[in-house]
Amino acid sequence: MSAKIKMSQVQDRLCTKRLGRTILHCHEIDSTNKWAKELAKYGASEGTVMVAETQTRGRGRHGREWISPTGGLWFSLVLRPKLSPDVASKLTFVAGLAVVKVLCEMFDLEAETKWPNDVLVNKRKICGVISEMNTTDETVNFVVVGIGVNTNFNVKEVFPKELRRVATSLQDELGRKIQLEELFSTLLETIESLYEQFIEEGSDSILEEWKSYARFLGHKVEVTTLTEKVSGLALDIDPRGALALELEDGTVKHVLTGDVSLQLTL
Ligand code: BTN
């Protein structure tokens, strides 16, 4: 089967120092995150990237299935930041910010971020990010950041019915297929530059910029945590990366893990 992503074209374009200097590419795999975690345990160096044309068991947050048909961009990065686990857990924002910036700048889309790790276009999910950290006590051994971008396929043709109203793809939004190599190399460059900023300056400026794309802030949302569902006004993202939610009684709750549902009028 011919490759949808031409790696030679990605490597030719790529102007990064570390990220994507080694790219492992395959036609089909269960999950690039699983692959990356296995290789990271055997010493894969910082910046190694795994990419697959299709995943048979793509994984989202909370063990959810991530549908990964051919035509999408499914990849994982191995990072080895010298940071505490608390700080390294905010790398998800680096990846989400990189995706939203690239979608806005490259395709002139009005993409937005949604806490904690989604990128939406026209209120529908176009990208998801998952970070998985391996630590020993307070030392981060590695973080695998997995990124899935719905690109060259039509959501209505390939996604199950229940996802069609809530997901979109670049092809659906632009009415054409895009050059995967250009998107992939631009994303890697943007992630590297934001990652360097994160390492050198800390997470504050990344969070501030991430928030500038977060249109849900200032609106009523419903948040599903591991234990409950709460509604409130999305006020802010605090320095830990938690969502500050103003509840009906006026108290402010800081939610570190959960999923936000926006009030959709589709
Ligand atoms: C989410 O929104 O829940 C996160 C989805 C992350 C999907 C990507 S696709 C590449 C990488 N491999 C996986 O199995 N998952 C991530």
Side-chain angles (χ1 to χ4, degrees):
M1 190 156 316
S2 72
K4 297 270 176 206
I5 310 176
K6 302 207 171 43
M7 277 311 129
S8 58
Q9 287 188 23
V10 176
Q11 300 281 17
D12 285 352
R13 288 168 183 276
L14 200 60
C15 310
T16 52
K17 282 181 255 158
R18 278 179 297 181
L19 208 60
R21 290 292 113 206
T22 304
I23 301 182
L24 304 175
H25 172 229
C26 71
H27 174 66
E28 182 180 291
I29 191 113
D30 47 2
S31 155
T32 57
N33 257 47
K34 189 165 165 251
W35 186 19
K37 283 186 285 178
E38 279 160 16
L39 293 193
K41 280 184 195 149
Y42 286 103
S45 60
E46 157 125 319
T48 305
V49 176
M50 286 76 178
V51 59
E53 310 266 326
T54 176
Q55 300 182 116
T56 52
R57 286 178 61 85
R59 280 286 158 258
R61 290 170 64 245
H62 307 305
R64 286 189 285 248
E65 182 185 11
W66 181 262
I67 313 277
S68 320
T70 307
L73 186 55
W74 323 121
F75 66 104
S76 302
L77 323 165
V78 176
L79 300 176
R80 297 184 180 277
K82 291 182 181 55
L83 299 170
S84 68
D86 279 4
V87 179
S89 69
K90 287 183 273 186
L91 280 167
T92 321
F93 292 98
V94 170
L97 177 58
V99 174
V100 81
K101 281 179 76 136
V102 169
L103 297 190
C104 289
E105 285 162 22
M106 214 167 145
F107 304 110
D108 211 15
L109 288 168
E110 293 195 354
E112 59 185 291
T113 48
K114 192 187 82 165
W115 185 84
N117 64 349
D118 294 347
V119 177
L120 313 181
V121 174
N122 283 324
K123 303 289 172 219
R124 291 177 158 94
K125 182 158 168 169
I126 200 160
C127 166
V129 177
I130 184 171
S131 292
E132 299 187 82
M133 202 178 335
N134 179 293
T135 57
T136 308
D137 302 323
E138 274 300 290
T139 304
V140 174
N141 302 317
F142 62 83
V143 183
V144 166
V145 181
I147 301 172
V149 190
N150 300 334
T151 35
N152 287 341
F153 55 82
N154 187 291
V155 159
K156 287 200 173 55
E157 281 169 13
V158 291
F159 273 17
K161 212 170 167 197
E162 64 277 12
L163 292 179
R164 291 180 201 159
R165 266 166 57 88
V166 292
T168 189
S169 69
L170 280 173
Q171 184 172 327
D172 287 328
E173 296 301 323
L174 301 170
R176 64 178 167 89
K177 291 194 195 297
I178 57 105
Q179 249 220 320
L180 280 173
E181 295 79 9
E182 195 185 354
L183 174 63
F184 191 27
S185 54
T186 310
L187 273 175
L188 293 176
E189 284 162 18
T190 311
I191 295 168
E192 180 171 275
S193 133
L194 294 171
Y195 179 56
E196 282 174 359
Q197 183 182 330
F198 182 87
I199 299 289
E200 282 158 24
E201 298 171 19
S203 58
D204 287 1
S205 62
I206 297 289
L207 283 176
E208 279 312 308
E209 197 175 0
W210 187 96
K211 283 192 274 182
S212 72
Y213 290 95
R215 297 218 204 108
F216 70 95
L217 288 175
H219 292 272
K220 228 186 140 192
V221 296
E222 189 176 77
V223 182
T224 309
T225 70
L226 293 174
T227 51
E228 58 177 346
K229 251 186 191 175
V230 273
S231 298
L233 186 67
L235 289 181
D236 199 4
I237 305 299
D238 76 14
R240 293 177 307 153
L243 173 66
L245 197 64
E246 187 183 85
L247 306 182
E248 304 240 303
D249 64 5
T251 57
V252 177
K253 191 180 172 76
H254 291 251
V255 187
L256 205 48
T257 314
D259 281 311
V260 161
S261 308
L262 308 171
Q263 276 161 3
L264 290 172
T265 45
L266 298 174

